[in-house]
Amino acid sequence: MAKYFDVHPENPQRRTITTVAESIRSGALIAYPTDSCYALGCGLSNREGLARIRSIRKLDDRHHFTLVCRDFAQLGQLVQIDNDVFRTIKAATPGSYTFILPATKEVPRQLLHPKKRTVGVRIPDHAVTQALLAELGDPLVSSTLLLPDEDDPLTQGWEIKERLDHEVDAVLDSGDCGTEPTTVVDFSGGDVEIVRRGAGDPSRFE
């Protein structure tokens, strides 16, 4: 059964955040809130956690996983980024955007798109996520909590606990954080491509 944590959305309890971070280091798969909607997350080197996310969401090997980062310094270690793209992304973060970029050698192979060698990265603007990332000290491998054959992501912590009780190890509930996933912008092909229009305003990339 998944452990359930009721977390304040603006001032998350330090003890809870520490407990959840320790569980992630020990291999846990969690459901947690972001600035766009709830997501599934696990540690960067957690192969089993990655497989569990694929199983829950019925994802194939072409799915772009997202590395959720605390800040731009952490993000810059994971992707190759030139000066123009750097300025564009920095101006949009933190926020409800996912950026697809060529990965560095710091990113485990199993997280990469098999042909493009790219990965998604983002810096969320959410107090609970930021507190967790700060305590963890590493990025989270993440995917929107959108179940197969459903149109909208799960957005209520109690429902996530009820429906995924035997598939995740912990649920962090900080209240409703919306049903609209991030806006996804692909910088990997030279030209800017808006792959998905979501919670972040896409006009700055058009």
Side-chain angles (χ1 to χ4, degrees):
M1 292 178 61
K3 294 181 179 179
Y4 179 83
F5 299 94
D6 189 3
V7 188
H8 193 282
E10 296 176 1
N11 298 293
Q13 302 89 321
R14 178 65 184 272
R15 181 178 296 179
T16 298
I17 295 298
T18 299
T19 299
V20 175
E22 288 174 351
S23 73
I24 293 170
R25 292 190 195 101
S26 299
L29 173 63
I30 69 166
Y32 70 102
T34 76
D35 54 347
S36 58
C37 52
Y38 278 84
L40 296 167
C42 66
L44 192 61
S45 59
N46 187 348
R47 286 177 174 267
E48 182 187 354
L50 191 66
R52 291 166 69 189
I53 293 175
R54 289 189 190 278
S55 175
I56 291 169
R57 292 206 53 204
K58 301 291 188 287
L59 300 173
D60 61 28
D61 63 358
R62 292 169 294 175
H63 177 74
H64 267 113
F65 283 95
T66 298
L67 301 179
V68 179
C69 304
R70 179 186 180 189
D71 53 29
F72 214 89
Q74 193 175 72
L75 181 149
Q77 297 174 358
L78 302 168
V79 290
Q80 301 170 33
I81 185 168
D82 64 31
N83 288 337
D84 289 341
V85 175
F86 174 93
R87 287 190 290 268
T88 301
I89 293 178
K90 192 162 177 61
T93 55
S96 301
Y97 299 96
T98 298
F99 305 103
I100 297 173
L101 289 157
T104 66
K105 292 181 180 180
E106 300 295 320
V107 180
R109 177 176 292 183
Q110 65 266 25
L111 297 176
L112 303 181
H113 187 285
K115 293 183 178 179
K116 298 180 179 180
R117 318 304 287 173
T118 51
V119 72
V121 287
R122 89 179 198 89
I123 303 171
D125 186 15
H126 192 284
V128 174
T129 320
Q130 282 291 339
L132 184 59
L133 291 168
E135 182 66 30
L136 192 60
D138 288 307
L140 271 174
V141 178
S142 192
S143 185
T144 302
L145 216 174
L146 179 62
L147 297 182
D149 302 321
E150 298 198 7
D151 294 327
D152 295 315
L154 297 179
T155 189
Q156 300 291 338
W158 62 266
E159 184 182 8
I160 295 169
K161 160 73 171 167
E162 187 175 89
R163 295 184 63 178
L164 298 180
D165 201 22
H166 298 288
E167 297 187 73
V168 301
D169 301 303
V171 177
L172 276 73
D173 184 358
S174 66
D176 193 333
C177 57
T179 60
E180 196 169 15
T182 57
T183 291
V184 179
V185 186
D186 189 343
F187 285 99
S188 66
D191 296 327
V192 179
E193 179 186 358
I194 299 173
V195 178
R196 180 178 70 196
R197 295 174 184 271
D201 180 8
S203 64
R204 65 170 68 215
F205 304 104
E206 295 175 322

